Amino acid sequence: MSEHEQQDFATPDEVREFPHGRMDLVRIGGAEIGRLTLQPGWRWSADVRPIAGTDLCEAPHFQYHVSGVLRVRTADGTEFDALPGQVTALPSGHDAWVVGDEPVVVVDWWGVSTYAQASS
């Protein structure tokens, strides 16, 4: 990298909105990083599955959890809560939903390129 780069989620390169949530996407250093804000009531299988057209979320994720509680269920039935301050690496094939009344905010370094877009 020969030049410094700087981005701000306040002015993302792309915004993808879906029921109960949105993703702000920035492109920097040859990568795409997303900030997902998921409101209470959001569930991948209800709000994003109609867009993605797959039974489960097929985007792998590498995320830092900023706020809120995100419950994840993997294809093999493993279920856990991701909490603020934690980092998760999620494989393809999962569902997730917001637990409680606080919005979930995560910063995702992997998997956002195709998130909340129709599968090809």
Side-chain angles (χ1 to χ4, degrees):
M1 185 180 313
S2 61
E3 298 179 25
H4 111 278
E5 293 181 66
Q6 190 170 1
Q7 280 284 21
D8 192 322
F9 281 118
T11 55
D13 294 309
E14 184 180 343
V15 174
R16 297 182 196 154
E17 295 184 331
F18 40 87
H20 297 105
R22 69 181 276 150
M23 182 182 71
D24 300 306
L25 183 73
V26 296
R27 294 178 180 92
I28 187 166
E32 294 181 316
I33 302 168
R35 178 181 65 186
L36 285 87
T37 304
L38 311 170
Q39 298 300 325
W42 176 87
R43 185 172 184 137
W44 186 90
S45 54
D47 297 323
V48 183
R49 177 175 29 202
I51 299 166
T54 57
D55 289 337
L56 295 172
C57 179
E58 296 302 328
H61 299 285
F62 187 70
Q63 301 175 324
Y64 173 72
H65 296 262
V66 177
S67 64
V69 177
L70 184 68
R71 183 156 299 149
V72 178
R73 182 181 301 136
T74 62
D76 70 2
T78 301
E79 193 170 300
F80 63 93
D81 289 343
L83 306 173
Q86 294 182 334
V87 176
T88 56
L90 303 178
S92 298
H94 57 272
D95 192 9
W97 57 95
V98 173
V99 174
D101 296 330
E102 182 181 357
V104 166
V105 177
V106 298
V107 176
D108 192 336
W109 282 271
W110 190 30
V112 297
S113 297
T114 58
Y115 189 82
Q117 288 187 324
S119 63
S120 21

